[in-house]
Amino acid sequence: MNLGLYGHENEWIAVDCGMMIRQDLPDAPLQVPSLETPEALGIRPRILVITHGHEDHIGAAAWLWPKWQCPVYATPLAAGLLRVKFVERGLAVDAIQVIEPGEALENGPFTLRYLPLTHSIPESCALLIAAGDYRVLHTGDWKLDPEPLIGPPVKGSLFRALAPVDLVVGDSTNAPMPGHSRSEGEVARALEQRLSQCSGRVVVSCFASNLARVLAVAQAAERCGRRVSLMGRAMVRMVAVARGLGYLDDMPPLVPVSDLGYLPPQEVLVIATGSQGEPRAALSRLANGRHHSLELMADDTVIFSAKAIPGNERQIERLKHALRHLDVAVWDEFNHPELHASGHPAQDELRTFYGWIKPRHLLPVHGERRHQQAHQELAESMGIQAPLAPINGDLVRLDGEGLSLESRHPQRPCIVSQDAVTPLPGLTAERGSPRHGILHLALSVASTKTGWTRIGRLMMDAHRVSAMDEDSFTDWLDERLEEVEADTLAELRTALQPLVTSWLGQHLRQLPDVHLQLVAVEVPAYR
């Protein structure tokens, strides 16, 4: 999920409004950002600004916008996708304003300019946010793709003209990766080469929003003598909106799914949703023999042209197992890495980009903690100050002294049904209402030269708390203990409490009250 809030002189704007699918919960509901903290702090954004049209950046807008009733600014593709979502939920679309990449807008004390960057969806933009004496570049999701297939490559001159900026709020997703991410042009050529080797039906599963990949697959299929069909509501919707904006004029004619049974297997190629193992998606229905128009058989091939999102590995492996049970060949990021390209920058791209904009400070966002830390190390090696690796709910101040953590607000999960606008009863608590169960955690810790370490077993007493993976939690807690900077037991507890609450919020269906007890012990010295 992505929801950033920027404030200056008691005025605020919101950047992006995303959701995530909770496949670990029954019926795979959605998790959206909680507005409990902004409401408690009196934060109500003047506008909502969208960087691009991925679900983790726009998916929650239809749930949260009714509480704000503010103008929404988005580039044409993201605006088109937002309108569909608003109409589906009976919301007026008048608030959605189209802004073209490269244009600027002013609102209150803020001046914002949309700066186009390449990503795995067209019209992805960074935001230059100017307020008072400060200029912040919020990158959104990006990469430096010399051959993006849809849209132009990044103009370095555009970003060199910004230097220096006071702060870059930057994408950490691939910060641990050396080198440069693969180009969409490279993937297109690899797809065509591999498709020519397939004999039966071929199903390619990728993110519906990756229009360059969808176009590359369709064109490669046509050159290999195959007819193209789309499978999955999200895929059909995305292609329809993109075609309306002129993005897929070169796409071959499509065959209705209902006509696939009349074609010889070697002439069939399906582009399907479901690369993340979603049980409702088209690929899962095919793997389990539940699709009404197509049945996979031996000699068919399924290509995963998408990387596993962290947390989805188990569902994806179950899906691949079901496909292999049908004697279907499975090609994925492990045995054919050339069939996918990440939409995020590796280390060489980060260095190039920061060489252009010359930021004074970095706030690393996106990815997990190890990604943020790798991003910090890279920035500091370039002379960029990067003192913080924020977690959800952190309020960070930028002033003449640099970056500082103003306050920390642990976030409760907010779960909504995929088929409803209102939150599911019993899954999210309003402010002031009781949480679900009580979790007592007690552990003995010892101070080491590099941090803290756990001594003995973690003691846990859970009352009316949903089941949790204790081994995963213990491993995660041990890693945090090594990283936390605290001189005293009180400081350690203050630092750990919000981190524990955040982990539980991401891994439990219902967030309990957490009571954390720490006991310091001396480690005997042996000679």
Side-chain angles (χ1 to χ4, degrees):
M1 300 181 295
N2 291 277
L3 171 59
L5 293 160
Y6 289 88
H8 180 72
E9 295 179 345
N10 295 320
E11 299 286 354
W12 293 82
I13 60 171
V15 177
D16 290 331
C17 193
M19 63 80 178
M20 61 187 289
I21 300 174
R22 289 295 300 270
Q23 297 191 60
D24 55 321
L25 298 179
D27 300 321
L30 308 179
Q31 183 167 339
V32 301
S34 169
L35 296 186
E36 181 178 324
T37 296
E39 290 173 353
L41 297 176
I43 295 174
R44 187 182 181 93
R46 300 174 58 97
I47 56 174
L48 169 60
V49 188
I50 302 297
T51 61
H52 65 281
H54 275 151
E55 284 296 300
D56 61 331
H57 290 256
I58 68 170
W63 277 273
L64 302 190
W65 179 84
K67 294 182 181 249
W68 290 340
Q69 302 279 317
C70 65
V72 181
Y73 289 91
T75 51
L77 178 59
L81 298 170
L82 280 170
R83 287 193 188 101
V84 172
K85 292 177 177 295
F86 274 45
V87 169
E88 283 182 345
R89 287 161 180 82
L91 300 174
V93 299
D94 300 352
I96 301 173
Q97 309 291 318
V98 174
I99 184 167
E100 296 288 341
E103 291 185 348
L105 65 96
E106 292 187 8
N107 192 281
F110 300 96
T111 300
L112 298 96
R113 182 173 293 277
Y114 274 70
L115 302 169
L117 283 168
T118 48
H119 183 45
S120 53
I121 187 173
E123 302 175 0
S124 188
C125 288
L127 294 172
L128 181 66
I129 305 172
D133 297 328
Y134 297 95
R135 294 191 310 149
V136 176
L137 187 69
H138 180 107
T139 69
D141 294 353
W142 66 280
K143 64 186 289 188
L144 298 181
D145 193 335
E147 197 178 359
L149 297 187
I150 295 180
V154 176
K155 293 181 179 178
S157 59
L158 179 67
F159 289 93
R160 288 190 195 98
L162 305 178
V165 298
D166 296 293
L167 170 67
V168 60
V169 179
D171 182 354
S172 309
T173 307
N174 279 345
M177 291 181 56
H180 197 290
S181 61
R182 188 176 289 111
S183 169
E184 285 294 334
E186 294 179 64
V187 177
R189 290 184 285 275
L191 280 166
E192 183 172 351
Q193 181 185 10
R194 292 300 180 186
L195 283 179
S196 65
Q197 301 170 1
C198 298
S199 54
R201 300 174 188 84
V202 176
V203 178
V204 179
S205 187
C206 63
F207 294 111
S209 57
N210 193 341
L211 295 174
R213 192 74 50 81
V214 171
L215 179 62
V217 171
Q219 291 178 335
E222 185 179 43
R223 288 192 284 267
C224 293
R226 292 181 180 269
R227 307 287 295 278
V228 180
S229 185
L230 303 179
M231 192 174 287
R233 187 174 68 170
M235 185 70 68
V236 172
R237 172 194 291 172
M238 181 66 70
V239 169
V241 172
R243 274 185 152 173
L245 294 169
Y247 277 118
L248 297 175
D249 291 344
D250 297 331
M251 190 157 177
L254 297 174
V255 175
V257 172
S258 56
D259 291 350
L260 291 177
Y262 300 107
L263 294 175
Q266 66 273 15
E267 294 183 16
V268 172
L269 185 137
V270 174
I271 307 176
T273 58
S275 64
Q276 301 304 303
E278 304 97 318
R280 297 190 192 188
L283 189 56
S284 286
R285 296 202 304 273
L286 286 171
N288 294 294
R290 293 187 287 106
H291 199 279
H292 54 80
S293 297
L294 186 67
E295 181 180 359
L296 293 179
M297 306 175 69
D299 202 36
D300 292 344
T301 301
V302 171
I303 297 174
F304 285 79
S305 188
K307 190 174 182 178
I309 295 174
N312 292 343
E313 294 88 353
R314 188 173 299 176
Q315 303 92 276
I316 295 172
E317 280 308 309
R318 281 200 296 265
L319 173 59
K320 291 176 180 177
H321 178 77
L323 290 167
R324 293 187 181 106
H325 189 71
L326 299 175
D327 289 328
V328 170
V330 175
W331 296 358
D332 58 19
E333 60 183 297
F334 304 107
N335 55 20
H336 288 284
E338 72 279 7
L339 300 179
H340 174 62
S342 172
H344 302 272
Q347 290 176 0
D348 285 356
E349 292 157 278
L350 290 168
R351 290 192 183 94
T352 297
F353 190 67
Y354 294 164
W356 292 345
I357 64 173
K358 301 190 184 311
R360 296 187 175 97
H361 303 87
L362 164 75
L363 191 68
V365 296
H366 305 334
E368 299 172 351
R369 190 168 183 84
R370 66 181 182 89
H371 303 90
Q372 292 175 296
Q373 289 175 331
H375 201 174
Q376 286 176 288
E377 292 170 6
L378 181 145
E380 289 166 353
S381 72
M382 298 181 67
I384 302 166
Q385 296 183 44
L388 301 176
I391 63 174
N392 290 333
D394 280 4
L395 186 61
V396 176
R397 175 179 293 275
L398 171 66
D399 58 23
E401 302 299 317
L403 285 176
S404 59
L405 179 61
E406 181 90 351
S407 55
R408 180 160 276 174
H409 305 272
Q411 300 297 291
R412 306 185 191 188
C414 183
I415 309 295
V416 297
S417 166
Q418 292 203 33
D419 302 316
V421 176
T422 55
L424 291 175
L427 293 188
T428 180
E430 295 297 327
R431 216 170 348 130
S433 64
R435 298 192 184 188
H436 299 273
I438 301 174
L439 181 63
H440 292 277
L441 299 172
L443 64 155
S444 301
V445 295
S447 178
T448 68
K449 292 181 179 179
T450 57
W452 296 80
T453 186
R454 177 170 57 91
I455 303 297
R457 189 168 62 89
L458 171 67
M459 291 170 283
M460 187 180 307
D461 182 15
H463 176 61
R464 291 192 296 110
V465 176
S466 55
M468 61 183 285
D469 186 337
E470 294 186 20
D471 290 339
S472 294
F473 175 70
T474 303
D475 291 343
W476 172 86
L477 185 60
D478 288 344
E479 292 176 2
R480 297 293 82 76
L481 283 169
E482 293 177 4
E483 299 169 353
V484 167
E485 294 183 3
D487 295 328
T488 67
L489 208 60
E491 290 179 2
L492 179 61
R493 187 183 183 283
T494 300
L496 273 183
Q497 182 83 29
L499 296 176
V500 169
T501 303
S502 177
W503 190 94
L504 294 172
Q506 295 175 39
H507 292 82
L508 295 184
R509 186 184 180 102
Q510 300 162 334
L511 184 62
D513 276 320
V514 180
H515 298 271
L516 179 62
Q517 180 181 358
L518 303 179
V519 178
V521 298
E522 293 289 337
V523 179
Y526 296 97
R527 296 185 179 180

